[in-house]
């Protein structure tokens, strides 16, 4: 992997100029901060941390509070050719915030105000550093929901969702982050503030939101967003079914969505996921467990959930009642607690590889990836999101490693999965993004994407200060 | 009429012929005339006047993506403008060859390449006419759900390039919601093929960058789009609201209750008077067609104010302020038509809920009839145009969008800004969770074409200024072309830097549809 | 290092920061380091020898209010405050503690309390002599913050006792005024123990102690035994003592409390001592308007920023945390905040001078 660049001493002039903008309290060069901002939750970085290594360290961390401050600090950094890494909550799974060239980490979390909620248009205007869960709690209090519930709901920011094109568990009903955003405010590398303008829809050129969505911090710092809200649902229904084989479950899902049903959440486990993950959450089942949640008016969701169940039964499923789905729903964030003991006590590596494919491709993709990974690790798979055209597939991989072979084995797992995905009609990421990790495979999947992005970046960020080394094969440090 | 000769050199012609073959290239004046205009009203007016132009120098009809690649490369090398052309149904001069050059007509690339029934996806070449694609899908038991009024005369590539929205967008989405994957030839001649997946996070979504690019970033050669099973059932419902505000509120409640009607359209008082809210009036589709706003404006006036009949059409154009006065007589409330489609189990439930919501919001239930009449005649409105132009007046449409909070303001402000210069009426369609679009039709005229042109420009200047004052999008689905290009910087401000950067990157030679969309 | 807490440190290091959204320090600063994950990761790296155990790392362990909210969101039920406090003690031993801590210790030593004043004298000038009885079996222990900042609440407490016909409670004679928590918070374990021993002598005759301050109650109940100091095990917070009496109808309520109140669960009363219902029951007895709840309430109550020595080591941070807690109270029609801890009251008042903050006792007294 990448070699750390030789570190330069902190630039005193930079420090002073940033302090001029932000004051002393919101600029840090403390060792502890530099370490905690040296990585995100990319499991490969966790392996490094386990060894006591943190190869990339930023020189400074800053906490602007307004768009204007972001603009001013970017101007300073641009003039001084200093890398700036936008940082939400560092919950990314692919090294999106690794400060590969050192420089400044710009933490957005002090930009966490909900500026306005328009009840009539059901739109919230919000700074991007707010944690998803805080935003949702506040909206709930006022009778609304944004409907975005990634597994990382409590540990990630709105800006992170936008920058990585996140998708939440309720995507089937409420859409993915790109379906929730109306407009954005962002700051370009030279400090220029741009706005996309709010309208329910427009035909005035390409949707510029989409240049920023998924830009993973390399084009601009996103500072504010207008987000679509929904009234909190009046009622909720839970349904569960088990299928003898994954095919049956997939077919049931496909037919449900084709019929026009709109479940809020569907989650289908393969046999291993059913017996391990679901069991860990306290659910005992065999086969492939499907949990479903329906939100809305009670008459409507009774109708829809009954139809959904009917489709399950017609496709070899057995009705498991409400309880498994309800239980899963109430404990659904608990699965992430498994990581600590596995890494701390068992010398494991653990990661999630999430892909997506059309219904036509999904089973062959599952088979190929499962088979290839199965030789190297324990593999648990589930369908976290489904759409009328296809679904996402998430493979949880875990295996025991030694200090000597851990990186080799980790990298091999990914190489295997990505090769299989590329060969079998899958996309290499459904929602987590590219970061530092998947650049090589993006180059295979969408060969023009990287040169185009780099070209675009050269024009919007000629000094390459914004998140260098991300969405890019080369690591060209600006300094 | 004098036609300036084609500027295409023999050498260029030969090079083009070498790519597409003799049969697929033309420099004939006849063709050059046909391809010099789309359906923007000023072009129509100019046609009336016999003044046409600018003209393209050559038209080519490629059959294969490889040919497109070679054509683009050739154009880039020679720095000759290249204008992708679908069916020329655009209404803002998107295909006008402002600087001459090559028209790249895609209509011979019209094959349906794949129908993935399991994944509900169709892949087709960009030049296929919307109605052809839809008919073929229907035959196989599917629908794309994309029904612009221009469906008979527009192409898949045009939909994507111009960010089109169909009448049933509330259920099926707009064109950007349908696209799963694209094949695009960039201005460099490189081919970008985006992977087909229900969803991905692979950096910015390139599909969405080409949607709406109106031929300035690349030539869309084929696309994979979402389709749905052909709906087994349809339901219709209609309501009359006492005021436009009440009607808007009704629409808002429908959408914010997570309903997914197929069509949602609310007519303002005058539009309503013309469409007719009673189920008796206009039993047959014939007479309904006759009572539609533009086509039968004269008839409408007849039924309202006897004595103004004969001069109606001219009158509308030249005495706009007076015509607007007529609206007061026309006030009968505002008609909302709704349709639902899909599985019967769902459509019936949706209709019942919608009825409950509308009735609670002061809507008087008019039964299915008015909505069914709209449905039967939904494409007919466009035929009315000819009559207006025939009488020397012109008609144009302004479709804007904003959030619910501002939509009534937008409606009133635009009318106020325009009413001195044109007769204007409106309906609201394309409803969303957070707002909707408002679609104005204005009719006006000038003593001569130049005056008409001035009036037209003044109307647009005033309307866009009002739109920006209130806060909204100056186009909901017609796009920019060159007629709205002067407003692009006002619309987007510094965000235009993104567009400029995309343009420079994807079309470094600046040959793709130059002079459009406010790009430098 | 900190072997005893190996599990905590390692688990947090590899945890996807799952409780981070609850940590008041993390939320107020926006800094990754001041989350359970961040501080523990540094301790892990120190343990791995990757970074030195120095002042910078030590400073980070001082940024915890010890509110214990994170535990409520940790499926492993890890408790971070003991790790932070142990690390602070180590910092003190290794002379790595922040300058504020050193200064605080000096200040404390002057009067054996964190207020820098003779609190015993203050208390004696406040209450009649008859209320002090060195041989009493039931002792009211007001706590330093209460004596220094809220003398009226102490007076009110005795008025309540009187109204309830409770004549057997004597006021603690505050010559060892402090429970020692502030020393412990700053990492001074030895000093805490010395203070604890003196305290236990003063309370040797008490069969039961009723505390005005939840952290005093927690200290007497568990921390003193924790360092091997003996004391009666019948330790109560005042609300625990009052609730049954009021429930029996012993309080002569003349007029209901008229204003809308929002109740703040103090961390030490709630998560540490497990007392959630008694304060609510007391208030519901006397309030005309239904009690308003914060959306973070009971075991999920949000911290006021007043704990863990934060107001001393980082007053700006303390105010920021308090301000975040108060947004709901100040929303719409401003509500008065009622709580049962003088430190919380102090923290709120420092953040918002215009806010009315009350102890439950003050509310009860106004109704008799
Ligand atoms: C346990 C767990 C479960 C997860 N589950 C899901 C899931 O269900 N769905 C899902 O989509 N993801 C999931 N993720 C991945 C991750 O949470 C998301 O990618 C999330 O969007 C990252 O948000 P963040 O605020 O932590 O961003 P960070 O990790 O801080 O940053 C991510 C990237 O975005 C950039 N960035 C952040 N903020 C801004 C900004 N304001 N402007 C410009 N660029 C910015 C950064 O530079 C970086 O490139 C999960 C992660 C974990 C650990
Ligand atoms: C009567 C009438 C009714 C209409 N109703 C609607 C409606 O309901 N909804 C709606 O959205 N629009 C409507 N329109 C507008 C118009 O039909 C749409 O804009 C349509 O999408 C244009 O398609 P086209 O194939 O005719 O494109 P053209 O007019 O040929 O081209 C439009 C633009 O797209 C570019 N372009 C075309 N094909 C390609 C390609 N393959 N690659 C790259 N660029 C390309 C052109 O260069 C041009 O800039 C209506 C128009 C008329 C005349
Ligand atoms: S306390 Fe628990 S939830 Fe919080 S970081 Fe540690 S292990 Fe994770
Ligand atoms: S005890 Fe409170 S302040 Fe300390 S880490 Fe936990 S939540 Fe944060």
């Amino acid at each position: 992997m990448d070699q750390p660049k030789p570190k330069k001493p902190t630039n005193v002039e930079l420090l002073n100029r940033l302090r001029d903008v932000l004051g002393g309290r919101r600029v840090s060069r403390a060792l502890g901060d530099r370490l905690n901002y040296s990585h995100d939750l990319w499991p490969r970085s966790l392996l490094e941390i386990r060894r006591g290594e943190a190869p990339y360290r930023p020189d400074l961390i800053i906490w602007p509070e307004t768009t204007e401050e972001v603009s001013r600090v970017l101007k300073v950094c641009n003039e001084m050719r200093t890398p700036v890494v936008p940082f939400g909550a560092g919950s990314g799974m692919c090294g999106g915030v690794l400060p590969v060239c050192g420089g400044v980490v710009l933490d957005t979390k002090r930009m966490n105000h909900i500026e306005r909620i328009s009840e009539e248009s059901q739109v919230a205007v919000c700074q991007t550093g707010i944690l998803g869960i805080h935003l949702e709690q506040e909206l709930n209090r006022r009778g609304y929901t944004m409907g975005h519930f990634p597994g990382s709901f409590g540990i990630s920011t709105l800006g992170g969702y936008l920058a990585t094109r996140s998708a939440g568990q309720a995507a089937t009903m409420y859409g993915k982050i790109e379906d929730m955003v109306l407009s954005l405010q962002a700051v370009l590398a030279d400090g220029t503030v741009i706005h996309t303008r709010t309208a329910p829809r427009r035909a005035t050129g390409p949707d510029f939101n989409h240049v920023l969505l998924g830009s993973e911090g390399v084009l601009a710092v996103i500072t504010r967003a207008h987000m679509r809200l929904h009234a909190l649902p009046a009622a909720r229904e839970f349904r569960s079914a088990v299928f003898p084989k994954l095919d049956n479950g997939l077919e049931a899902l496909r037919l449900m969505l084709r019929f026009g049903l709109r479940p809020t959440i569907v989650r289908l486990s393969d046999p291993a996921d059913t017996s391990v993950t679901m069991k860990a959450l306290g659910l005992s089942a065999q086969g492939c467990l499907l949990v479903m949640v329906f939100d809305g008016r009670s008459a409507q969701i009774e109708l829809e959930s009954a139809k959904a169940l009917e489709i399950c039964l017609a496709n070899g499923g057995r009705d498991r009642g409400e309880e498994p789905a309800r239980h899963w729903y109430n404990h659904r964030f608990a699965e992430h607690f498994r990581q600590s003991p596995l890494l701390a006590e068992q010398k494991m590596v653990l990661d999630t590889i999430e892909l997506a494919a059309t219904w036509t491709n999904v089973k062959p993709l599952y088979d190929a990836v499962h088979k290839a990974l199965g030789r190297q690790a324990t593999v648990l798979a589930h369908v976290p999101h489904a759409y009328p055209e296809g679904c996402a597939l998430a493979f949880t991989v875990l295996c025991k490693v030694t200090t000597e072979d851990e990186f080799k084995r980790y990298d091999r797992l990914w190489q295997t999965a990505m090769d299989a995905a590329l060969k079998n009609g899958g996309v290499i990421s459904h929602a987590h993004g590219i970061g530092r990790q998947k650049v090589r495979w993006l180059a295979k999947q969408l060969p023009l994407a990287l040169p185009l992005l780099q070209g675009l970046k050269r024009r919007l960020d000629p000094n390459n200060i914004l998140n260098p080394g991300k969405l890019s094969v080369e690591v060209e440090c600006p300094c | 009429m004098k036609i300036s000769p084609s500027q295409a050199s023999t050498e260029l012609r030969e090079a083009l012929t070498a790519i597409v073959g003799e049969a697929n290239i033309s420099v004939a004046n006849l063709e050059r005339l046909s391809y010099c205009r789309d359906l923007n009203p000023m072009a129509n007016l100019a046609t009336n006047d016999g003044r046409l132009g600018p003209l393209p120098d050559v038209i080519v009809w490629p059959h294969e993506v490889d040919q497109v690649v070679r054509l683009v490369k050739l154009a880039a090398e020679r720095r000759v403008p290249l204008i992708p052309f679908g069916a020329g149904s655009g209404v803002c001069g998107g295909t006008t060859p402002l600087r001459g050059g090559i028209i790249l007509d895609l209509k011979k690339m019209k094959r349906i390449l794949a129908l993935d029934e399991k994944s509900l996806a169709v892949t087709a070449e960009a030049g296929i006419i919307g109605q052809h694609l839809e008919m073929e899908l229907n035959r196989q038991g599917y629908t794309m759900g994309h029904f612009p009024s221009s469906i008979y005369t527009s192409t898949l590539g045009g939909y994507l390039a111009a960010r089109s929205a169909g009448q049933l967008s509330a259920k099926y989405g707009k064109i950007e919601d349908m696209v799963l994957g694209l094949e695009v030839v960039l201005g460099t001649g490189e081919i970008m093929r985006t992977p087909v997946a229900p969803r991905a996070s692979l950096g910015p979504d390139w599909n969405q960058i080409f949607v709406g690019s109106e031929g300035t970033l690349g030539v869309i050669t084929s696309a994979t789009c979402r389709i749905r099973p052909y709906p087994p059932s349809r339901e219709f419902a209609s309501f009359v609201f006492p005021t436009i505000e009440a009607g808007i509120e009704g629409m808002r409640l429908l959408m914010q209750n997570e309903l997914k009607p197929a069509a949602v359209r609310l007519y303002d008082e005058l539009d309503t008077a013309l469409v007719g809210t009673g189920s008796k009036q206009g039993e047959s589709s014939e007479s309904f067609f006759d009572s539609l706003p533009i086509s039968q404006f004269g008839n409408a006036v007849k039924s309202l104010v006897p004595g103004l009949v004969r001069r109606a059409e001219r009158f509308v154009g030249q005495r706009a302020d007076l015509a607007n006065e007529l609206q007061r007589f026309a006030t009968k409330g505002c008609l909302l038509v709704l349709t639902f489609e899909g599985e019967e189990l769902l459509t019936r439930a949706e209709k019942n809920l919608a009825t409950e919501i509308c009735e609670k919001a002061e809507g008087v239930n008019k039964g299915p009839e008015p909505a069914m009449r709209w449905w039967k005649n939904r494409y007919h409105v466009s035929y009315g145009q000819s009559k207006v132009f025939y009488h020397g007046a012109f008609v144009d449409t302004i479709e804007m969008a904003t959030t619910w909070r501002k939509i009534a303001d937008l409606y009133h402000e635009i009318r106020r800004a325009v009413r001195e210069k044109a007769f204007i009426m409106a309906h609201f369609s394309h409803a969303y969770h957070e707002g909707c679009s408002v679609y104005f039709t204005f009719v006006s005229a000038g003593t001569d074409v130049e005056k008409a042109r001035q009036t037209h420009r003044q109307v647009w200047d005033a309307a866009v200024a009002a739109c920006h004052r209130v806060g909204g999008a100056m186009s909901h689905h017609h796009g920019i072309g060159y007629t709205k290009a002067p407003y692009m910087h006002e619309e987007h401000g510094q965000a235009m830097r993104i567009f400029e950067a995309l343009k420079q990157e994807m079309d470094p030679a600046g040959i793709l549809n130059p002079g459009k969309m406010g790009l430098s | 290092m900190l072997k005893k807490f190996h599990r905590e440190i390692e688990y947090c290091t590899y945890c996807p920061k799952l409780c981070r959204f609850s940590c008041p320090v993390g939320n107020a600063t926006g800094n990754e380091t001041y989350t359970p994950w961040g501080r523990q990761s540094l301790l892990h790296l120190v343990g791995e020898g990757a970074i030195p155990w120095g002042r910078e790392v030590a400073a980070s362990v001082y940024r915890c209010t010890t509110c214990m909210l994170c535990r409520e969101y940790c499926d492993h039920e890890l408790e971070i405050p003991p790790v932070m406090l142990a690390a602070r003690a180590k910092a003190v031993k290794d002379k790595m503690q922040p300058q504020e801590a050193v200064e605080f210790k000096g200040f404390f030593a002057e009067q054996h309390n964190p207020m820098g004043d003779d609190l015993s004298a203050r208390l004696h000038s406040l209450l009649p002599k008859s209320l002090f009885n060195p041989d009493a079996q039931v002792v009211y222990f007001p706590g330093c913050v209460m004596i220094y900042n809220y003398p009226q609440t102490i007076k009110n407490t005795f008025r309540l006792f009187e109204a309830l016909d409770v004549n057997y409670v004597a006021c603690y004679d505050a010559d060892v005024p402090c429970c020692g928590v502030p020393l412990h918070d700053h990492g001074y374990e030895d000093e805490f123990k010395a203070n604890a021993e003196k305290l236990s002598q003063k309370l040797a005759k008490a069969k039961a102690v009723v505390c005005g301050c939840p952290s005093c109650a927690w200290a007497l109940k568990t921390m003193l035994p924790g360092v091997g100091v003996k004391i009666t095990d019948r330790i109560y917070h005042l609300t625990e003592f009052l609730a049954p009496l009021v429930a029996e109808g012993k309080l002569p309520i003349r007029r209901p409390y008229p204003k809308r109140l929002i109740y703040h669960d103090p961390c030490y009363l709630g998560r540490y001592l497990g007392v959630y219902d008694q304060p609510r029951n007391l208030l519901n007895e006397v309030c005309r308007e239904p009690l308003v709840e914060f959306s973070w309430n009971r075991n999920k109550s949000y911290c006021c920023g007043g704990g863990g020595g934060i107001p001393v080591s980082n007053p700006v941070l303390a105010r920021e945390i308090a301000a975040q807690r108060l947004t709901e109270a100040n929303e719409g029609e401003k509500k008065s905040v009622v709580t049962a801890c003088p430190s919380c009251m102090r923290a709120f008042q420092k953040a918002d001078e215009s806010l009315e903050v009350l102890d439950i006792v003050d509310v009860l007294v106004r109704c008799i």
Side-chain angles (χ1 to χ4, degrees), chain A residues 374-446:
Chain A
R375 299 194 196 101
Q376 302 171 33
T378 305
V379 185
L380 320 168
H382 72 274
V383 174
H385 314 264
Y387 310 97
E389 304 78 27
C391 67
L393 271 181
F395 296 89
T396 304
V397 288
L398 65 167
C399 62
K400 257 204 154 60
V401 291
T402 64
T403 315
E404 289 70 46
D405 71 359
E406 55 188 357
F407 291 121
K408 229 168 67 201
R409 292 198 55 187
Y410 178 82
D411 294 342
R412 199 152 67 91
L413 279 171
W414 272 92
Q415 184 69 52
T416 307
M418 294 289 99
D419 283 348
L422 289 168
K423 253 190 237 130
N424 291 280
V427 283
I428 59 169
S429 172
H430 169 260
H432 287 180
I434 302 300
R436 186 77 210 114
Q437 178 188 28
K438 288 171 227 166
V439 182
R440 279 183 287 157
W441 301 299
L442 178 60
K444 292 216 169 110
Q445 181 133 65
L446 198 48

Side-chain angles (χ1 to χ4, degrees), chain A residues 120-122 164-165 178 192 201-204 228-230 258 262 297 360 389 429-430 459, chain B residues 116-117 119 142 163 176 199 201 226 228 256-258 433-434 475-476 491-492 497 505:
Chain A
E120 194 178 346
S121 307
Q122 299 200 342
T164 62
R165 281 176 65 83
E178 68 269 27
T192 308
R201 201 260 177 176
R202 62 190 335 131
T204 57
R228 179 174 301 131
L229 308 179
H230 299 264
R258 185 183 177 97
R262 284 194 288 159
R297 299 198 169 212
T360 307
E389 304 78 27
S429 172
H430 169 260
R459 296 179 196 278
Chain B
D116 182 343
E117 299 193 51
S119 312
Y142 297 95
R163 265 180 92 78
E176 69 269 26
R199 204 267 174 175
S201 171
R226 299 186 158 89
R228 293 289 174 262
Q256 294 187 349
N257 274 287
E258 317 291 347
H433 201 88
E434 61 284 341
S475 172
H476 172 269
E491 178 91 0
H492 292 297
R497 275 184 62 184
E505 213 32 52

Side-chain angles (χ1 to χ4, degrees), chain A residues 299-355:
Chain A
Q300 181 74 16
I301 60 179
E302 263 169 40
L303 195 82
E304 293 207 19
S305 56
K307 182 69 197 176
L309 195 62
E310 188 190 312
I311 294 175
C312 291
L313 300 187
N315 284 278
R318 274 194 301 121
D319 183 6
R320 287 293 309 264
E322 297 176 22
E323 200 37 40
R326 190 194 305 278
H327 185 90
W328 171 82
Y329 186 79
N330 291 333
H331 296 84
R332 66 198 195 280
F333 295 118
E335 64 181 278
H336 305 302
F337 285 98
R338 288 185 304 166
Q339 176 164 317
S340 291
L342 292 173
L343 263 72
E345 284 155 9
Q346 304 204 37
K347 265 265 170 213
M348 290 279 213
V349 296
L350 170 68
D351 205 344
T352 304
I353 299 171
E354 39 93 52
L355 314 169

